[in-house]
Amino acid sequence: MEKTLCFRCLLMTYHKHCLNMKIPIEGYPQILSKIHDSRAIVLFTVDLSDINNSMLHDILPIIGRKRPVYIIGNKVDLIPMDSPHYLKRLEKYLFTACSQAGWNPSGYNIRHIELVSAKTGYGIEHLINKLFDDHGKNGDVYLVGSSNVGKSSIFNILLESDFCKSQAREIFQKATVSVWPGTTLNLLKFPILSPTSERMYKRRARLQEDAEVLQEMKMHQRIKLEKYGLSYNAILRGLVRMTQFVTPPDNDYEGFSVTSYTAKSNASITPSELDAKLKSEKAKRLETFKSTLERSRWLYDTPGVINTQQITSFLNPEELQILLSCKMFRPRTFVLKPNQAMFVTGLGRIDYVEGTENVLLTLINNNKIVVHVMEIEKAEDFYKENIGKDVLQIPLGDEDRLSLIPPLVGKTFHLTGTGFKKTVCDIVLSSIGWVGVSTKSRHTFTLRAYTPGGHGCLTRPALLPNAVNLKLKRIRNQPTYNTSKCLSLVKLPPIKRSRL
């Protein structure tokens, strides 16, 4: 049964259905408390598309206040480039947000910050190099984070990399990956490769070859980006492969093959006999491998903590498929006049309640999410008439379904403009995305933002302050700016050596 899926994982993998089997919140400290008395390093994973609402607070008392921590910013492939140095800005804000959440009380808990994409492989090899450099200083490695930040995807890509013992890849199964929160119900693990000098020499040689391949890929990607400007051509990509540390055998199964077996036995072999022989050979191999496993360090994928600021826990699978994006966000800019409101599906709303100048709102989220702009006087009737229908897209369903989602609750923000070419701040709308706000210099104005129950609604320094400049001409008689080929407008930096 080593490759057998449980009924819940089978439904998620093949039928896109998720059974509601979330671990109670009080169960998480018990699972994470295993880290407290162990010699280990923690990979705290954060969703870069929802940094503030995927942040965990007050975890270090559970896992140890002196615990070394790596901050992993996942889903960097979703974040569009607004300037040549946007990744450094992301790293700086990620460090600040994690420090404020209590992940760096001693000043040296945070040992490293890495921006990665488990989907495209960007930054994964660089992360593995750093973890190998720290081998011996720390013991096991634990992946920790909120639900739906991509821990299982990171676990899977590390499982198929040099970080995992090569013999273990057939034995330890992948984590089930889905859009639904809380899909990892227990500790998944695999043994970590011991980085001997010989192995690291072969790994560096392989990485050198991959760097040249990746360099050529980036050049072709740059040419297409400058010519067509499509977001697909701007995605950060990496190359994650496995180094061949041992010369593979010529036969079919490490010393056993059908040809050699039939030659020795001078008889034909039936499928059932072959299957029995393969199982016997594998059992012997596993028995030999057990002794090395006892001395191994391990990487563990822990269950995701359900963050109360994420509204994804209120949504069903169909709604999550609409909300969550697999493609790079594309900034969309809208004009909001005084006394106008903007709906971002039926889960987010921004009202311009006080001010005299127009405001530019640059929305950063899934491009398929619908947006409606109207007068505030008409907004309430529009919402009541269309909530639960395709017009507002999310949420969907009848009154019974809508009763499970908290009503929209607003928070008021008083802001002062710095000019139309710079974003004042971001207004975060929980898991829906965020809005960069721009207006005339020194213009004071008031916005009110709404999310279900007020969850995850806040302001922060602008992550992409120049994204407003990616807009093209305004569509006639519409509050929307054209975004066609907008990513080609960024002044691109020269291509440097690839970062695997």
Side-chain angles (χ1 to χ4, degrees), residues 244-280:
Q244 195 67 55
F245 295 117
V246 181
T247 304
D250 296 330
N251 49 29
D252 297 332
Y253 189 81
E254 300 227 1
F256 172 77
S257 67
V258 178
T259 305
S260 62
Y261 182 72
T262 53
K264 290 179 181 179
S265 60
N266 294 320
S268 61
I269 183 170
T270 64
S272 59
E273 290 175 333
L274 175 62
D275 187 56
K277 183 62 177 177
L278 287 172
K279 288 182 178 178
S280 175

Short mmCIF file of all heavy atoms in Angstrom, two decimals, residues 244-280:
data_model
loop_
_atom_site.label_atom_id
_atom_site.label_comp_id
_atom_site.label_asym_id
_atom_site.label_seq_id
_atom_site.Cartn_x
_atom_site.Cartn_y
_atom_site.Cartn_z
N GLN A 244 23.53 13.15 -11.07
CA GLN A 244 23.78 11.71 -11.09
C GLN A 244 25.02 11.43 -10.26
O GLN A 244 26.15 11.50 -10.75
CB GLN A 244 23.96 11.22 -12.52
CG GLN A 244 23.86 9.72 -12.70
CD GLN A 244 22.46 9.20 -12.44
OE1 GLN A 244 21.50 9.65 -13.03
NE2 GLN A 244 22.37 8.25 -11.53
N PHE A 245 24.81 11.14 -8.96
CA PHE A 245 25.95 10.91 -8.07
C PHE A 245 26.59 9.54 -8.29
O PHE A 245 27.78 9.36 -8.05
CB PHE A 245 25.51 11.04 -6.61
CG PHE A 245 25.06 12.42 -6.24
CD1 PHE A 245 23.76 12.65 -5.85
CD2 PHE A 245 25.93 13.50 -6.31
CE1 PHE A 245 23.34 13.93 -5.51
CE2 PHE A 245 25.52 14.78 -5.98
CZ PHE A 245 24.21 14.99 -5.57
N VAL A 246 25.80 8.55 -8.71
CA VAL A 246 26.28 7.18 -8.91
C VAL A 246 25.99 6.78 -10.34
O VAL A 246 24.90 7.08 -10.86
CB VAL A 246 25.61 6.19 -7.93
CG1 VAL A 246 26.14 4.78 -8.15
CG2 VAL A 246 25.84 6.64 -6.49
N THR A 247 26.90 6.07 -10.99
CA THR A 247 26.68 5.60 -12.35
C THR A 247 25.55 4.59 -12.36
O THR A 247 25.60 3.59 -11.61
CB THR A 247 27.94 4.94 -12.92
OG1 THR A 247 29.01 5.87 -12.84
CG2 THR A 247 27.72 4.51 -14.36
N PRO A 248 24.49 4.80 -13.14
CA PRO A 248 23.35 3.88 -13.11
C PRO A 248 23.70 2.53 -13.70
O PRO A 248 24.53 2.44 -14.62
CB PRO A 248 22.31 4.61 -13.98
CG PRO A 248 23.10 5.46 -14.89
CD PRO A 248 24.30 5.89 -14.11
N PRO A 249 23.09 1.45 -13.20
CA PRO A 249 23.37 0.11 -13.73
C PRO A 249 22.76 -0.05 -15.12
O PRO A 249 21.83 0.66 -15.49
CB PRO A 249 22.69 -0.82 -12.72
CG PRO A 249 21.60 0.02 -12.12
CD PRO A 249 22.14 1.42 -12.09
N ASP A 250 23.31 -1.00 -15.88
CA ASP A 250 22.82 -1.24 -17.24
C ASP A 250 21.55 -2.07 -17.25
O ASP A 250 20.83 -2.10 -18.24
CB ASP A 250 23.89 -1.97 -18.07
CG ASP A 250 25.13 -1.09 -18.24
OD1 ASP A 250 24.96 0.15 -18.25
OD2 ASP A 250 26.23 -1.65 -18.36
N ASN A 251 21.27 -2.79 -16.16
CA ASN A 251 20.09 -3.67 -16.16
C ASN A 251 18.85 -2.91 -15.73
O ASN A 251 18.88 -1.72 -15.47
CB ASN A 251 20.33 -4.89 -15.26
CG ASN A 251 20.86 -4.49 -13.90
OD1 ASN A 251 20.55 -3.40 -13.42
ND2 ASN A 251 21.67 -5.35 -13.30
N ASP A 252 17.75 -3.66 -15.60
CA ASP A 252 16.46 -3.04 -15.37
C ASP A 252 16.22 -2.67 -13.92
O ASP A 252 15.50 -1.75 -13.62
CB ASP A 252 15.32 -3.97 -15.83
CG ASP A 252 15.39 -4.21 -17.33
OD1 ASP A 252 15.90 -3.33 -18.03
OD2 ASP A 252 14.93 -5.28 -17.77
N TYR A 253 16.79 -3.44 -12.99
CA TYR A 253 16.47 -3.17 -11.60
C TYR A 253 17.66 -3.48 -10.71
O TYR A 253 17.73 -4.50 -10.04
CB TYR A 253 15.26 -4.01 -11.15
CG TYR A 253 14.76 -3.61 -9.79
CD1 TYR A 253 13.92 -2.50 -9.64
CD2 TYR A 253 15.16 -4.29 -8.65
CE1 TYR A 253 13.48 -2.12 -8.40
CE2 TYR A 253 14.73 -3.90 -7.40
CZ TYR A 253 13.88 -2.82 -7.29
OH TYR A 253 13.45 -2.43 -6.06
N GLU A 254 18.68 -2.60 -10.77
CA GLU A 254 19.82 -2.67 -9.88
C GLU A 254 20.32 -4.10 -9.65
O GLU A 254 20.28 -4.64 -8.56
CB GLU A 254 19.47 -2.03 -8.53
CG GLU A 254 19.07 -0.59 -8.70
CD GLU A 254 19.76 0.28 -7.70
OE1 GLU A 254 20.55 -0.23 -6.90
OE2 GLU A 254 19.50 1.48 -7.73
N GLY A 255 20.74 -4.74 -10.71
CA GLY A 255 21.29 -6.08 -10.57
C GLY A 255 20.30 -7.16 -10.96
O GLY A 255 20.65 -8.33 -11.00
N PHE A 256 19.05 -6.80 -11.23
CA PHE A 256 18.07 -7.81 -11.62
C PHE A 256 17.37 -7.37 -12.89
O PHE A 256 16.92 -6.24 -13.00
CB PHE A 256 17.02 -7.99 -10.51
CG PHE A 256 15.89 -8.88 -10.95
CD1 PHE A 256 16.05 -10.25 -11.00
CD2 PHE A 256 14.67 -8.32 -11.32
CE1 PHE A 256 15.01 -11.05 -11.41
CE2 PHE A 256 13.63 -9.13 -11.73
CZ PHE A 256 13.79 -10.51 -11.77
N SER A 257 17.28 -8.25 -13.88
CA SER A 257 16.54 -7.98 -15.10
C SER A 257 15.90 -9.26 -15.57
O SER A 257 16.29 -10.37 -15.18
CB SER A 257 17.46 -7.41 -16.19
OG SER A 257 18.38 -8.40 -16.59
N VAL A 258 14.92 -9.12 -16.44
CA VAL A 258 14.24 -10.29 -16.98
C VAL A 258 15.21 -11.16 -17.76
O VAL A 258 15.22 -12.39 -17.65
CB VAL A 258 13.06 -9.85 -17.89
CG1 VAL A 258 12.39 -11.06 -18.50
CG2 VAL A 258 12.07 -9.03 -17.11
N THR A 259 16.10 -10.52 -18.54
CA THR A 259 17.04 -11.27 -19.38
C THR A 259 18.00 -12.11 -18.54
O THR A 259 18.18 -13.31 -18.78
CB THR A 259 17.84 -10.30 -20.26
OG1 THR A 259 16.94 -9.49 -21.01
CG2 THR A 259 18.74 -11.06 -21.22
N SER A 260 18.61 -11.45 -17.53
CA SER A 260 19.57 -12.18 -16.69
C SER A 260 18.89 -13.27 -15.88
O SER A 260 19.44 -14.35 -15.69
CB SER A 260 20.29 -11.21 -15.76
OG SER A 260 19.37 -10.58 -14.89
N TYR A 261 17.67 -13.02 -15.44
CA TYR A 261 16.96 -14.00 -14.63
C TYR A 261 16.60 -15.23 -15.45
O TYR A 261 16.78 -16.37 -15.02
CB TYR A 261 15.69 -13.37 -14.05
CG TYR A 261 14.91 -14.29 -13.13
CD1 TYR A 261 15.40 -14.61 -11.86
CD2 TYR A 261 13.71 -14.86 -13.55
CE1 TYR A 261 14.70 -15.47 -11.03
CE2 TYR A 261 13.00 -15.71 -12.72
CZ TYR A 261 13.49 -16.01 -11.46
OH TYR A 261 12.80 -16.85 -10.64
N THR A 262 16.09 -15.04 -16.67
CA THR A 262 15.72 -16.16 -17.52
C THR A 262 16.96 -16.93 -17.99
O THR A 262 16.92 -18.13 -18.17
CB THR A 262 14.94 -15.67 -18.75
OG1 THR A 262 15.68 -14.66 -19.41
CG2 THR A 262 13.60 -15.11 -18.34
N ALA A 263 18.08 -16.20 -18.19
CA ALA A 263 19.31 -16.87 -18.61
C ALA A 263 19.83 -17.80 -17.53
O ALA A 263 20.28 -18.92 -17.81
CB ALA A 263 20.37 -15.84 -18.97
N LYS A 264 19.75 -17.37 -16.28
CA LYS A 264 20.23 -18.19 -15.18
C LYS A 264 19.32 -19.38 -14.91
O LYS A 264 19.75 -20.46 -14.56
CB LYS A 264 20.38 -17.34 -13.91
CG LYS A 264 21.51 -16.33 -13.99
CD LYS A 264 21.57 -15.51 -12.70
CE LYS A 264 22.70 -14.48 -12.78
NZ LYS A 264 22.75 -13.65 -11.56
N SER A 265 18.02 -19.15 -15.05
CA SER A 265 17.06 -20.20 -14.72
C SER A 265 16.75 -21.10 -15.90
O SER A 265 16.10 -22.13 -15.74
CB SER A 265 15.75 -19.58 -14.23
OG SER A 265 15.21 -18.75 -15.24
N ASN A 266 17.23 -20.71 -17.15
CA ASN A 266 16.98 -21.47 -18.37
C ASN A 266 15.49 -21.73 -18.58
O ASN A 266 15.08 -22.79 -19.03
CB ASN A 266 17.74 -22.81 -18.34
CG ASN A 266 19.23 -22.61 -18.36
OD1 ASN A 266 19.74 -21.74 -19.08
ND2 ASN A 266 19.95 -23.41 -17.57
N ALA A 267 14.66 -20.78 -18.19
CA ALA A 267 13.22 -20.94 -18.35
C ALA A 267 12.59 -19.57 -18.55
O ALA A 267 13.17 -18.55 -18.18
CB ALA A 267 12.61 -21.62 -17.12
N SER A 268 11.43 -19.57 -19.17
CA SER A 268 10.70 -18.32 -19.33
C SER A 268 10.10 -17.91 -17.99
O SER A 268 9.84 -18.76 -17.14
CB SER A 268 9.60 -18.49 -20.39
OG SER A 268 8.69 -19.49 -19.97
N ILE A 269 9.85 -16.64 -17.84
CA ILE A 269 9.33 -16.11 -16.58
C ILE A 269 7.95 -15.52 -16.81
O ILE A 269 7.73 -14.78 -17.77
CB ILE A 269 10.28 -15.06 -15.98
CG1 ILE A 269 9.75 -14.58 -14.63
CG2 ILE A 269 10.52 -13.91 -16.94
CD1 ILE A 269 10.74 -13.72 -13.88
N THR A 270 7.02 -15.88 -15.96
CA THR A 270 5.66 -15.37 -16.08
C THR A 270 5.56 -14.00 -15.42
O THR A 270 6.40 -13.66 -14.57
CB THR A 270 4.66 -16.33 -15.40
OG1 THR A 270 4.95 -16.36 -14.00
CG2 THR A 270 4.76 -17.72 -16.01
N PRO A 271 4.55 -13.21 -15.76
CA PRO A 271 4.39 -11.90 -15.12
C PRO A 271 4.28 -11.97 -13.61
O PRO A 271 4.83 -11.13 -12.90
CB PRO A 271 3.12 -11.37 -15.76
CG PRO A 271 3.04 -12.05 -17.08
CD PRO A 271 3.61 -13.41 -16.86
N SER A 272 3.58 -12.97 -13.09
CA SER A 272 3.43 -13.09 -11.64
C SER A 272 4.76 -13.40 -10.96
O SER A 272 5.07 -12.89 -9.89
CB SER A 272 2.40 -14.17 -11.30
OG SER A 272 2.80 -15.42 -11.84
N GLU A 273 5.57 -14.27 -11.62
CA GLU A 273 6.88 -14.59 -11.07
C GLU A 273 7.80 -13.38 -11.10
O GLU A 273 8.58 -13.13 -10.16
CB GLU A 273 7.51 -15.75 -11.85
CG GLU A 273 6.82 -17.09 -11.65
CD GLU A 273 7.39 -18.17 -12.55
OE1 GLU A 273 7.91 -17.82 -13.62
OE2 GLU A 273 7.33 -19.34 -12.16
N LEU A 274 7.73 -12.62 -12.19
CA LEU A 274 8.54 -11.41 -12.29
C LEU A 274 8.16 -10.41 -11.21
O LEU A 274 9.03 -9.81 -10.57
CB LEU A 274 8.36 -10.79 -13.68
CG LEU A 274 9.06 -9.44 -13.91
CD1 LEU A 274 10.57 -9.58 -13.76
CD2 LEU A 274 8.71 -8.89 -15.28
N ASP A 275 6.85 -10.25 -10.98
CA ASP A 275 6.38 -9.31 -9.96
C ASP A 275 6.86 -9.74 -8.58
O ASP A 275 7.30 -8.91 -7.78
CB ASP A 275 4.85 -9.25 -10.01
CG ASP A 275 4.30 -8.18 -9.09
OD1 ASP A 275 4.70 -7.01 -9.23
OD2 ASP A 275 3.48 -8.51 -8.20
N ALA A 276 6.79 -11.03 -8.31
CA ALA A 276 7.25 -11.53 -7.00
C ALA A 276 8.74 -11.32 -6.83
O ALA A 276 9.22 -10.96 -5.75
CB ALA A 276 6.90 -13.01 -6.87
N LYS A 277 9.51 -11.53 -7.93
CA LYS A 277 10.95 -11.34 -7.85
C LYS A 277 11.31 -9.88 -7.62
O LYS A 277 12.20 -9.55 -6.83
CB LYS A 277 11.59 -11.84 -9.16
CG LYS A 277 13.11 -11.77 -9.18
CD LYS A 277 13.74 -12.64 -8.12
CE LYS A 277 15.26 -12.59 -8.21
NZ LYS A 277 15.89 -13.37 -7.13
N LEU A 278 10.60 -8.99 -8.33
CA LEU A 278 10.86 -7.57 -8.16
C LEU A 278 10.58 -7.13 -6.72
O LEU A 278 11.33 -6.35 -6.13
CB LEU A 278 10.00 -6.76 -9.13
CG LEU A 278 10.41 -6.80 -10.61
CD1 LEU A 278 9.36 -6.12 -11.47
CD2 LEU A 278 11.76 -6.15 -10.81
N LYS A 279 9.49 -7.62 -6.16
CA LYS A 279 9.14 -7.27 -4.77
C LYS A 279 10.19 -7.80 -3.81
O LYS A 279 10.55 -7.14 -2.83
CB LYS A 279 7.77 -7.83 -4.42
CG LYS A 279 6.61 -7.10 -5.10
CD LYS A 279 5.27 -7.68 -4.68
CE LYS A 279 4.12 -6.91 -5.33
NZ LYS A 279 2.80 -7.48 -4.97
N SER A 280 10.69 -9.01 -4.08
CA SER A 280 11.72 -9.57 -3.22
C SER A 280 13.01 -8.75 -3.28
O SER A 280 13.63 -8.47 -2.25
CB SER A 280 12.00 -11.01 -3.65
OG SER A 280 13.07 -11.55 -2.92
#
